[in-house]
Amino acid sequence: TFYNLIGRTLFYLTLSENLSGELPVLRLDDSGNVYNQLREYFVHAGRIDYQAIFQPYFTDCIRYNGTIDSALRLLMGTLTAFDFRILPTEVIGTVLENIVPKDDKQKFGQYFTPEILANMVAFPAVETRDSILFDPTSGTGTFLNSFYQILSYYGNKSHQAKLSQIWGNDISHFPAMLSVINLYKQDVSQTDNFPRVIRGDFFSLRTDSEINFPDSHDHQKRIRIPLPLFDGIASNFPFIQQEDIPNDKLEALFRKEFETEQAAFVKEKDFCINERSDYFTYCIYNSIRFLKDGGTLCAITSNAWLGKEYGIQFKQFLLNNFHIKYVVKSNAEHWFTDSKVSTIYFVLEKNVSLDQPTKFVSLNVKLKDAFDGG
């Protein structure tokens, strides 16, 4: 409740300052409770869209008592004292990211990818200035930001075009909110600034899904945009403990998709996904549906699949569907200091048959040192 309230409030204050006249200035009075007053402001913003932020959520049903009301009035008085027209937008993202306690990050596998690492992992997924890109578990939007910067590097200077080429998704409200902010802050002056971030379960998305977005020429109107096939996918898939993975539900999903066409899961005519598979393997299995032939998939994962039993099945799936271009690890540092998982990243090319080996790359220098000033 707290994460969502603070996130919505900060984002509303930014919007109301930068979209002058589009939204009323947030002011609380003593005539009513804080819940009802804030709700009215958020309804106004929801009409413009930014659905990942202002879309209704279960925490909206929680009412505030008098003590909370008083505390929120003090907090809102502090926040509204800032001039959000000149406050750097990265400050807002930093505040929101640091609201999340370390224990919550570990419980839900939500580790914020360092910017340099995200740029390295995302770069192979972007081949041209016209690439259509996707992070299916976008978290705070670090990879979406990397996509944006790499498209700019390739010569795509149109803010609106880049937003139309970059798609994100996250099942959790708070990370999805941060994804929107990370793209929104690239150019807060434009009124057609609608990041294509979906809030939903990645495993419920379909290739024939249509997503509601505002018309960039008139945000009071809605247009339905088909979810495209992507040239590149890059993600840091969640590190979820084995006992928290809904194996039965996911196996049933992939049985429908893969039973007749993926030999890695069929043994003696029976379909089975190894029950000890890590969560990220299911994310890779699902990603193949959204990737064009010849497209690139880049992912940060644990290194367990290189040596554990379930990795045999996973590697067979990769070899049947991809050219494994790179597998990269670091000997110099842990990329995620709060995580107990040893991580690597790899680069895959879908349905590409090349007479080239897989390159296993070891980094013997910290990323910050390697790219300092670069």
Side-chain angles (χ1 to χ4, degrees):
T1 303
F2 176 67
Y3 298 162
N4 294 332
L5 175 65
I6 297 302
R8 283 176 168 180
T9 301
L10 289 176
F11 194 67
Y12 184 92
L13 291 170
T14 307
L15 278 177
S16 62
E17 292 284 7
N18 288 291
L19 301 181
S20 179
E22 298 279 345
L23 292 172
V25 176
L26 196 158
R27 292 190 179 93
L28 300 181
D29 57 48
D30 297 328
S31 63
N33 65 48
V34 172
Y35 174 90
N36 288 333
Q37 291 185 58
L38 288 177
R39 183 175 176 275
E40 287 299 316
Y41 286 112
F42 297 157
V43 167
H44 279 292
R47 293 184 185 128
I48 295 180
D49 192 59
Y50 298 99
Q51 57 172 312
I53 292 181
F54 297 108
Q55 182 179 341
Y57 200 54
F58 76 94
T59 57
D60 297 342
C61 298
I62 299 172
R63 297 297 189 266
Y64 310 145
N65 62 23
T67 302
I68 299 299
D69 250 24
S70 298
L72 287 176
R73 288 182 192 281
L74 289 172
L75 177 61
M76 296 304 161
T78 300
L79 293 177
T80 53
F82 290 99
D83 186 343
F84 279 78
R85 288 171 296 181
I86 60 174
L87 186 69
T89 49
E90 56 266 27
V91 171
I92 300 170
T94 300
V95 168
L96 291 172
E97 283 199 21
N98 284 285
I99 288 174
V100 183
K102 289 184 179 180
D103 289 346
D104 282 0
K105 294 179 188 178
Q106 292 178 352
K107 181 178 179 181
F108 299 111
Q110 293 173 341
Y111 295 97
F112 304 119
T113 311
E115 182 179 356
I116 297 175
L117 176 61
N119 290 340
M120 282 187 61
V121 176
F123 198 85
V126 188
E127 293 194 350
T128 73
R129 59 181 291 169
D130 299 316
S131 293
I132 309 297
L133 306 161
F134 185 37
D135 181 353
T137 57
S138 57
T140 63
T142 308
F143 278 101
L144 307 185
N145 186 59
S146 293
F147 290 153
Y148 190 98
Q149 302 302 330
I150 297 167
L151 288 172
S152 298
Y153 168 80
Y154 279 123
N156 188 337
K157 303 302 182 183
S158 168
H159 176 68
Q160 185 177 345
K162 283 180 283 192
L163 289 189
S164 71
Q165 293 168 230
I166 298 170
W167 290 69
N169 175 76
D170 204 280
I171 192 171
S172 299
H173 189 194
F174 188 64
M177 183 186 301
L178 295 178
S179 287
V180 172
I181 289 171
N182 255 323
L183 283 179
Y184 167 82
K185 71 182 185 182
Q186 299 298 330
D187 189 345
V188 297
S189 65
Q190 296 212 19
T191 57
D192 55 352
N193 192 352
F194 299 105
R196 293 188 175 176
V197 176
I198 308 164
R199 201 183 83 206
D201 183 355
F202 177 38
F203 297 101
S204 297
L205 284 180
R206 298 173 54 88
T207 52
D208 59 356
S209 297
E210 289 191 342
I211 313 299
N212 247 327
F213 288 107
D215 188 327
S216 61
H217 301 292
D218 182 357
H219 61 247
Q220 301 297 331
K221 297 179 180 178
R222 293 292 183 269
I223 54 176
R224 296 186 64 81
I225 302 177
L227 190 68
L229 289 178
F230 296 96
D231 299 296
I233 295 175
S235 195
N236 174 18
F237 294 119
F239 302 159
I240 296 179
Q241 297 179 18
Q242 178 63 42
E243 57 268 23
D244 295 327
I245 300 173
N247 298 84
D248 293 343
K249 178 182 177 182
L250 292 174
E251 180 167 328
L253 169 67
F254 290 114
R255 182 184 296 274
K256 295 179 182 178
E257 297 286 335
F258 292 160
E259 191 168 19
T260 60
E261 54 186 68
Q262 292 292 348
F265 305 115
V266 180
K267 186 177 182 180
E268 298 178 357
K269 298 184 179 181
D270 290 328
F271 181 89
C272 181
I273 296 179
N274 191 298
E275 62 182 8
R276 296 190 178 278
S277 297
D278 277 348
Y279 185 76
F280 74 81
T281 64
Y282 294 103
C283 295
I284 300 294
Y285 301 152
N286 202 43
S287 295
I288 195 171
R289 296 188 294 137
F290 301 94
L291 193 63
K292 293 178 182 177
D293 283 349
T296 301
L297 170 60
C298 308
I300 299 172
T301 72
S302 78
N303 66 355
W305 63 275
L306 294 172
K308 288 190 176 181
E309 179 188 358
Y310 79 79
I312 297 174
Q313 183 182 66
F314 181 59
K315 283 180 274 191
Q316 187 61 58
F317 173 84
L318 296 184
L319 291 169
N320 289 346
N321 295 280
F322 297 95
H323 166 55
I324 306 174
K325 192 171 184 179
Y326 299 112
V327 178
V328 183
K329 70 171 185 176
S330 176
N331 293 330
E333 62 182 327
H334 285 288
W335 290 326
F336 302 91
T337 55
D338 295 333
S339 173
K340 299 177 182 178
V341 178
S342 296
T343 51
I344 59 174
Y345 76 84
F346 51 77
V347 178
L348 312 172
E349 297 174 316
K350 182 182 175 183
N351 293 340
V352 174
S353 298
L354 296 175
D355 187 20
Q356 295 181 8
T358 297
K359 295 181 180 180
F360 289 83
V361 181
S362 295
L363 304 178
N364 296 315
V365 62
K366 294 181 179 181
L367 295 180
K368 186 176 181 181
D369 294 338
F371 292 95
D372 185 34

